[in-house]
Amino acid sequence: MSQAEASTPTDPDAVRFRDAGEAALVVEFGARVDPALNARVLALDAALAQDPVAGMLETVPTYRSLMIHYDPLVLDRDALAARVGGLLDRPPAGSRPGRTWTLPCCYDPALAEDLAEDLGAVADWAGLAPADVAARHASGTYRVYMYGFAPGFAYLGGLPETLAIPRRRTPRPPHPANALLVGGGLAAVATVPMPTGWYVVGRTPERLYSEARPQSFLVEPGDGLRFEPIDAATFAALEARAARGEILARRDP
């Protein structure tokens, strides 16, 4: 019996197949943000990439699920589910180990008026000084769980619990480019200015997304991220280099 067939609704980590319209199948691995669940998502994604099914168009990994887009005129939904079930029954294949990247990050409120406001709001909520919020944010090692919402918008886990402020009740005006965000117990690196319910705690001069690079996305789901604090003058110098196409992040071997 496959893992999907053996799961029960009472099992929080049960594998479930859900339809998303008539041309996408969602394989859910659980109901929480957890590195082990995300590793299972990425393992299935890698297995399908190594052994693709005719009619499969695209896979979209998330925190806890994999969405598989397919052409229903070529690939039957039940046949796809059976193939996925067979892959779940196999021992996990070796996958690419996640890399760890270090990104420069500036927490200086002078970078933007909204940065000072948001950093202060998180500090008030946490009962900390703004400098302590910046230090705790920079002390974490984060996991890239997925991209979504906008090109290069990286959803992260690993935020220190002391900074797990709830998201805003209403969106705030657009944040600056390459903002570091916290909200709802999660962290993120945004790329383009846009309204958000998250709080801006810093900025990086690095571009996680660039159409000018052969590989538009710098990091991948499963990678780790660390932030290295820099001052405003260093930020300005590095931002100019990034604008010329230089990659600023350091990657561990």
Side-chain angles (χ1 to χ4, degrees):
M1 181 178 292
S2 73
Q3 293 182 33
E5 293 169 339
S7 356
T8 64
T10 57
D11 180 0
D13 292 338
V15 180
R16 295 175 173 84
F17 292 167
R18 301 189 185 277
D19 295 312
E22 298 179 349
L25 179 69
V26 177
V27 186
E28 292 186 347
F29 288 88
R32 66 183 188 279
V33 177
D34 181 87
L37 292 185
N38 187 243
R40 295 171 68 189
V41 172
L42 299 181
L44 176 60
D45 191 32
L48 286 170
Q50 294 169 5
D51 188 14
V53 187
M56 190 178 72
L57 304 177
E58 182 183 16
T59 57
V60 183
T62 73
Y63 281 102
R64 61 185 184 87
S65 67
L66 183 70
M67 175 177 279
I68 306 168
H69 293 273
Y70 63 95
D71 183 346
L73 299 180
V74 176
L75 178 59
D76 178 73
R77 183 266 187 200
D78 291 339
L80 174 59
R83 172 65 74 89
V84 170
L87 292 174
L88 293 174
D89 283 338
R90 297 180 187 175
S95 58
R96 176 190 65 79
R99 302 162 298 182
T100 298
W101 301 79
T102 300
L103 271 62
C105 172
C106 186
Y107 299 93
D108 190 331
L111 282 182
E113 181 179 352
D114 44 15
L115 172 55
E117 179 182 340
D118 281 15
L119 198 57
V122 176
D124 290 344
W125 178 87
L128 299 168
D132 291 331
V133 171
R136 295 195 186 197
H137 182 271
S139 71
T141 297
Y142 300 83
R143 178 184 177 90
V144 180
Y145 276 89
M146 58 180 281
Y147 278 118
F149 190 71
F153 190 105
Y155 287 87
L156 312 177
L159 181 72
E161 291 186 7
T162 51
L163 304 184
I165 185 173
R167 294 189 192 183
R168 297 173 180 273
R169 292 182 179 273
T170 57
R172 48 151 290 157
H175 57 66
N178 306 310
L180 306 185
L181 310 175
V182 299
L186 302 173
V189 181
T191 50
V192 296
M194 60 184 136
T196 182
W198 301 55
Y199 292 83
V200 180
V201 295
R203 292 179 64 190
T204 177
E206 182 59 276
R207 273 73 165 155
L208 293 192
Y209 173 79
S210 172
E211 293 182 351
R213 290 195 299 252
Q215 184 173 334
S216 298
F217 294 88
L218 181 63
V219 302
E220 298 181 18
D223 285 353
L225 280 186
R226 297 191 184 104
F227 298 108
E228 181 177 63
I230 57 175
D231 59 26
T234 303
F235 177 93
L238 291 178
E239 188 175 40
R241 289 163 54 184
R244 296 193 293 268
E246 183 177 342
I247 293 177
L248 308 172
R250 299 195 311 273
R251 187 180 72 186
D252 289 357

